[in-house]
Amino acid sequence: MTDYARSLPGVAHAENNLYTCSQDSINHIAQVIQEHDLNRVVVAACTPRTHEPLFQDSLRAAGLNPGLFEMANIRNQCSWVHSNNWEGATRKARDLVRAAVASAACLEPIRTTQVPVHHAALIVGGGVAGMTASLTLAGQGFLAHLVERTGQLGGNLRTVHFLNDSDGTLNAKHETPNPQAYLRELIDKVTSHPLINVYLETELVETGGFQGNFESRLRDVNNTLITIQHGATIIATGGREYRGDEYGLGQDPQVITQLDFEAMLADKETRKQGDLPSDIRHPTSNLQLPTFIVMIQCIGPAEKYCARMCCTTALKNALKLKELDPDAQVVILYKDMRTYGFKERLYTEARRKGILFVRYDDAHKPAIDQRPPTTDQSPISNLQPLTVKVYDPSLRRELTLAADLLVLSTPAVPAEGAHELAQVLKVPLDLDGWFLEAHVKLRPVDFATDGIFMAGMAHYPKFLDEAIAQAQAAAARAATILSKETLTAGGVVAVVDAERCVGCLTCVRICPYHVPQIQANFAGVGGVIGAAFIEMAACHGCGSCAAECPAKAITLVGYSDVQLGAKVETLFEALNVKR
């Protein structure tokens, strides 16, 4: 194979290495480049997806532009897929090496440039994730602009009054985990930090630029536009509790959600002390808690996807009720009880406390006796019991439960305005409306667009400890950008020949990252005013625009028509194929 490569046109040196990607071989390649004064390098080994940057570093160390490198993947495309045909694999490897050598002769140096970085971050969402990310970045000396569309910070944590025993997030600071005390402490830190600018009743309406150099416009309650420049963006818009009309929710005062019930429990526990803020009291709360409660899991959108928190929240509230009133009866109707990790202890404790569980399926959903809507504000203890019917598969009969209160475990759904925000930022949502990460394992807090990150429930329903951890991770990723004075832009990016561009908008429509833009005041082909422009710092080098451009005005650096044509021509010559 080495002798064959040495016989190809333009090859000045060829050799065989046992492990070409080892550190010794990398250093050896740099030495050979200098010794033989080489101006192109071809490596026939494994996939360029994982190893091309490694070999390009050896070119850079030898003083050669890293763009003057070509790779033939004879591992994945030859030895792996033709392991039972050695002769055929060898012939194919020769073809790939010959094509790589022909392509290398047409390579041109890759140009890069340095762009300055704005050492500030924009955090959208003033919940626990947004505040944690802001404090994490401000603690490292970076300016943080925290934007909240409502009039107060706190988000969903304002509705959480108890933590389950498996949540150790706050135990280090509070003897008794108290989410409201933690929230007040967090808000005090944010509002008093000199490097955090808080914008309440403000929304993000426009953003542009690229990582390290974004410019965004905010609109406050007075309809005033505020322009800020920042190097990174973190989306922490959270979610909200689903409130549909299932089981008479919103019409019957005896049908409430888990957040309503948690507020009721908090009201019962603290009413005598007089320190409960009035804005979290529920109108159905009373001094005497209901004694027979039925909870139903998997309501509304939770029939399509698991919202992760519903089961644990139901068990947490049920156990809190048993703590306040040991004689109270609780029956939980469920399809699947999912209390993952150490939260399984709550399920065990609930059964130990006498909480009953009845499973149902889609064919036998719970039902209630429909009653006309009412505005009766009487204490729940004075209302007639609500009849709940459910089929018990163990007993093979229908159960009739006379509930003082029906508590629905409604799921978390995306925050209001999430779709509009995704359009402003040009970032994707999944099928359920949550913000979609670039890669679930490799880039769990990144968007596909560089420089924009996500944290908290904006990504998917999360518990407090998970939201805090993800906010810190997003802040760490943002800090990798903000900590640099400049970023390198360029490399394998798309370049527009403005004189050939006809302004057809094909590249604008086809780009998955929304990078190409039409620049006015330029006379292109046929006198057309406006030509495409691609910011190299924002381009991902996918090549979609170059492939689709009808005027052939866009070229992907390192993958020009001349280079690819030479590779194809060489392959066809060996096959004696005439075009």
Side-chain angles (χ1 to χ4, degrees), residues 513-537:
Y513 305 101
H514 308 281
V515 175
Q517 298 178 354
I518 299 298
Q519 281 191 338
N521 301 323
F522 178 82
V525 175
V528 176
I529 303 300
F533 170 74
I534 297 177
E535 173 58 58
M536 65 170 61

Side-chain angles (χ1 to χ4, degrees), residues 65-78:
N65 188 287
L68 303 176
F69 171 80
E70 184 71 17
M71 201 166 182
N73 186 358
I74 62 174
R75 181 191 69 175
N76 301 55
Q77 298 175 0
C78 295

Side-chain angles (χ1 to χ4, degrees), residues 495-503 519 522-525 528 530-532 553:
V495 178
V496 179
D497 183 353
E499 294 184 355
R500 301 180 65 179
C501 179
V502 298
Q519 281 191 338
F522 178 82
V525 175
V528 176

Side-chain angles (χ1 to χ4, degrees), residues 4 27 30 41 86 128 147 237 257 315 321 323 329 375 382 461 499 516 525 528:
Y4 175 79
N27 295 334
V41 175
W86 286 21
V128 63
V147 179
T237 50
T257 67
L315 293 178
L321 174 64
E323 176 187 327
Q329 292 180 286
T375 58
N382 295 342
E499 294 184 355
V525 175
V528 176

Side-chain angles (χ1 to χ4, degrees), residues 4-62:
Y4 175 79
R6 190 178 292 113
S7 66
L8 294 174
V11 175
H13 175 80
E15 63 179 56
N16 178 44
N17 296 313
L18 182 60
Y19 296 107
T20 308
C21 60
S22 67
Q23 186 60 47
D24 290 341
S25 296
I26 293 296
N27 295 334
H28 176 67
I29 291 175
Q31 294 175 359
V32 170
I33 292 173
Q34 294 176 331
E35 290 175 2
H36 295 272
D37 196 23
L38 304 179
N39 59 13
R40 301 288 191 280
V41 175
V42 176
V43 171
C46 50
T47 171
R49 174 181 285 274
T50 57
H51 286 71
E52 185 176 51
L54 186 66
F55 295 119
Q56 287 178 331
D57 287 341
S58 66
L59 269 69
R60 190 179 291 107

Side-chain angles (χ1 to χ4, degrees), residues 34 64 113 122 130 141 154 189 216 267 352 482 547 562 575:
Q34 294 176 331
L64 197 62
T113 186
L122 173 66
K189 289 182 178 179
S216 300
D267 184 68
R352 185 180 294 116
L482 304 182
V562 174
L575 297 174

Side-chain angles (χ1 to χ4, degrees), residues 210-460:
F210 45 88
Q211 68 165 337
N213 203 324
F214 290 107
E215 181 173 287
S216 300
R217 284 187 175 87
L218 313 176
R219 183 170 56 209
D220 62 16
V221 67
N222 299 318
N223 210 29
T224 302
L225 291 179
I226 305 169
T227 301
I228 62 173
Q229 293 181 323
H230 53 102
T233 305
I234 297 177
I235 304 303
T237 50
R240 55 189 171 89
E241 186 185 44
Y242 171 75
R243 288 182 177 268
D245 58 1
E246 288 84 355
Y247 299 99
L249 180 63
Q251 300 177 355
D252 194 322
Q254 289 174 270
V255 181
I256 63 175
T257 67
Q258 288 291 351
L259 287 185
D260 295 332
F261 186 49
E262 185 166 343
M264 181 188 297
L265 296 172
D267 184 68
K268 171 63 177 176
E269 186 174 56
T270 60
R271 177 184 286 260
K272 293 181 180 180
Q273 301 175 4
D275 61 351
L276 184 67
S278 59
D279 62 341
I280 65 171
R281 294 192 184 190
H282 191 269
T284 60
S285 62
N286 55 86
L287 292 176
Q288 184 178 356
L289 288 171
T291 57
F292 194 108
I293 292 180
V294 175
M295 297 181 178
I296 302 180
Q297 308 299 107
C298 300
I299 305 298
E303 297 183 21
K304 296 191 304 179
Y305 64 87
C306 178
R308 302 180 73 248
M309 305 186 299
C310 309
C311 294
T312 302
T313 301
L315 293 178
K316 176 191 71 172
N317 290 340
L319 288 170
K320 189 64 180 180
L321 174 64
K322 297 290 284 186
E323 176 187 327
L324 296 174
D325 183 4
D327 295 329
Q329 292 180 286
V330 182
V331 179
I332 299 180
L333 312 181
Y334 71 100
K335 288 203 314 185
D336 292 292
M337 187 58 59
R338 298 183 179 180
T339 51
Y340 55 90
F342 290 121
K343 297 174 179 63
E344 181 75 14
R345 299 170 181 171
L346 295 175
Y347 182 49
T348 303
E349 181 65 17
R351 289 179 293 167
R352 185 180 294 116
K353 294 289 186 181
I355 297 172
L356 301 180
F357 294 84
V358 178
R359 189 169 190 173
Y360 71 90
D361 56 31
D362 290 330
H364 303 89
K365 294 181 179 180
I368 64 172
D369 285 348
Q370 295 295 331
R371 301 190 298 194
T374 179
T375 58
D376 191 352
Q377 296 297 319
S378 301
I380 290 176
S381 57
N382 295 342
L383 299 177
Q384 293 296 320
L386 183 65
T387 301
V388 182
K389 297 180 180 180
V390 61
Y391 179 81
D392 189 329
S394 300
L395 300 177
R396 297 183 181 178
R397 57 172 292 183
E398 186 177 70
L399 302 181
T400 301
L401 308 172
D404 297 323
L405 192 65
L406 177 60
V407 183
L408 304 181
S409 296
T410 56
V413 294
E416 293 183 7
H419 181 72
E420 291 76 9
L421 181 61
Q423 291 181 326
V424 170
L425 294 168
K426 299 180 178 62
V427 294
L429 301 172
D430 65 15
L431 295 178
D432 297 314
W434 305 100
F435 286 102
L436 184 63
E437 73 277 9
H439 192 284
V440 66
K441 292 183 178 180
L442 303 180
R443 299 175 66 191
V445 299
D446 294 40
F447 282 101
T449 303
D450 292 336
I452 306 180
F453 310 95
M454 67 181 71
M457 203 180 292
H459 174 218
Y460 205 73

